Amino acid sequence: MASARWPIRPRQLRPRLGRLTVMSINLDRATAFMTSHARILDRRRFEAIIGNSDAARHAIIRGLDSYRNADGGYGWGLEPDLRAPESQPGGALHAFEALAAADPLTSPHAVALLDWLNSVTLPDGGLPFARPISNPVACAPFWASANPAESSLQITAAVAAEAHRVACFDDEVRDHPWLTTATRYCFESIRRTDEAPFAYVLSFALQLLDIASDTYPEAHELLGHLSRFVPRDGALPVIGGAEGERLHLLHYAPEPGRPLRSLLDPHAVSDDLDRLERAQLPDGGWPAGFASYSDAAVLEWRGHATVSAVAALRMNNR
């Protein structure tokens, strides 16, 4: 089964104003790691959460332009293991992820991205895992070999979850018909799920249901349906992934106070926060936790993982 990553979601990147945050990690080393290793877009995301900077949020929106195509979609390695230039659902996912990190600023290009998604959505309402790739150099095989005629719950839920987060503060995204179409496709697919899904499918479906539960009451029931597949410790082994690869609880439920968190063991949450604190490496960054397919992607994923780790710990007052 195809794999895809970007474990922790952008809503973590919102600054938690008014809360006392005591970081138990070495933030100076994390900052140095970002400066020396990460791409500009992730450095700006890091700056936005650490410095609560509007300048950084504006820079996030502008920074996406270098990955944007004339058709309204995004490519050019915005997904680090999908380096081809064509617009892809994976690029759309990361574009919405970045736009959510710019909250409350909105982008003039968000609606064009939704229009592009609408143009590539399959008749059943789902997105293909990936569209045809003209040059697969340095692209992960699971992207290059995807069937463009088959809908994927994994990528549709992932993109829709990020779009819902942007919709929380952008009315044009909230009211766009693609978001309803994709959400309905995912709900129907989840409703038919009667055995434990692949780890990334389960992770993204849970994230979608959690954020969609703010506006779709039925999402609460579906969360209960899917949560029965989550082990007590929250760790989801990635079958077919790198040796020891797994998704942890904080990968899909980083934010306290959400409906998904209420379904999980509080002791497992605490244990996973401890795990994430301990995972900072001597160079100041966090490991990505999975294999990458180019030297550039290795560094880019580590920058992404470091932003996500710091954001999750900050959100949980660690």
Side-chain angles (χ1 to χ4, degrees), residues 1-2 152-154 157 197-206 226 247:
M1 181 177 291
S152 161
L153 173 59
Q154 179 174 331
F198 178 55
Y200 284 99
V201 175
L202 179 55
S203 170
F204 291 124
L206 289 169
L226 268 194
L247 296 179

Side-chain angles (χ1 to χ4, degrees), residues 214-284:
D214 291 347
T215 47
Y216 290 81
E218 68 201 272
H220 290 274
E221 177 186 350
L222 292 172
L223 259 182
H225 172 67
L226 268 194
S227 66
R228 63 195 172 109
F229 299 119
V230 177
R232 185 175 179 80
D233 66 358
L236 308 175
V238 178
I239 306 301
E243 183 176 356
E245 181 177 350
R246 63 185 56 212
L247 296 179
H248 295 279
L249 183 152
L250 292 172
H251 288 146
Y252 53 84
E255 184 172 353
R258 295 294 308 169
L260 178 54
R261 270 288 185 90
S262 70
L263 299 174
L264 303 175
D265 182 349
H267 296 294
V269 174
S270 180
D271 288 347
D272 208 38
L273 286 166
D274 293 343
R275 175 200 61 79
L276 191 59
E277 283 184 339
R278 294 192 301 266
Q280 187 177 24
L281 298 175
D283 64 10

Side-chain angles (χ1 to χ4, degrees), residues 280-297:
Q280 187 177 24
L281 298 175
D283 64 10
W286 271 257
F290 45 73
S292 290
Y293 294 85
S294 69
D295 292 342

Side-chain angles (χ1 to χ4, degrees), residues 294-316:
S294 69
D295 292 342
V298 170
L299 291 179
E300 291 176 355
W301 275 124
R302 285 204 62 203
H304 185 277
T306 299
V307 174
S308 299
V310 172
L313 293 169
R314 183 182 178 88
M315 182 175 290
N316 287 273

Side-chain angles (χ1 to χ4, degrees), residues 54-131:
D54 276 346
R57 296 187 187 98
H58 282 289
I60 289 170
I61 293 174
R62 290 195 306 272
L64 280 174
D65 287 348
S66 59
Y67 299 95
R68 186 170 184 266
N69 287 312
D71 60 12
Y74 291 79
W76 299 97
L78 184 54
E79 206 286 1
D81 279 314
L82 182 49
R83 308 196 77 81
E86 297 93 351
S87 297
Q88 292 285 349
L93 162 62
H94 286 285
F96 277 127
E97 176 189 52
L99 294 179
D103 178 9
L105 303 181
T106 59
S107 167
H109 302 309
V111 170
L113 175 55
L114 289 160
D115 290 342
W116 178 80
L117 286 168
N118 214 34
S119 74
V120 300
T121 293
L122 298 172
D124 62 0
L127 291 168
F129 190 74
R131 293 176 48 75

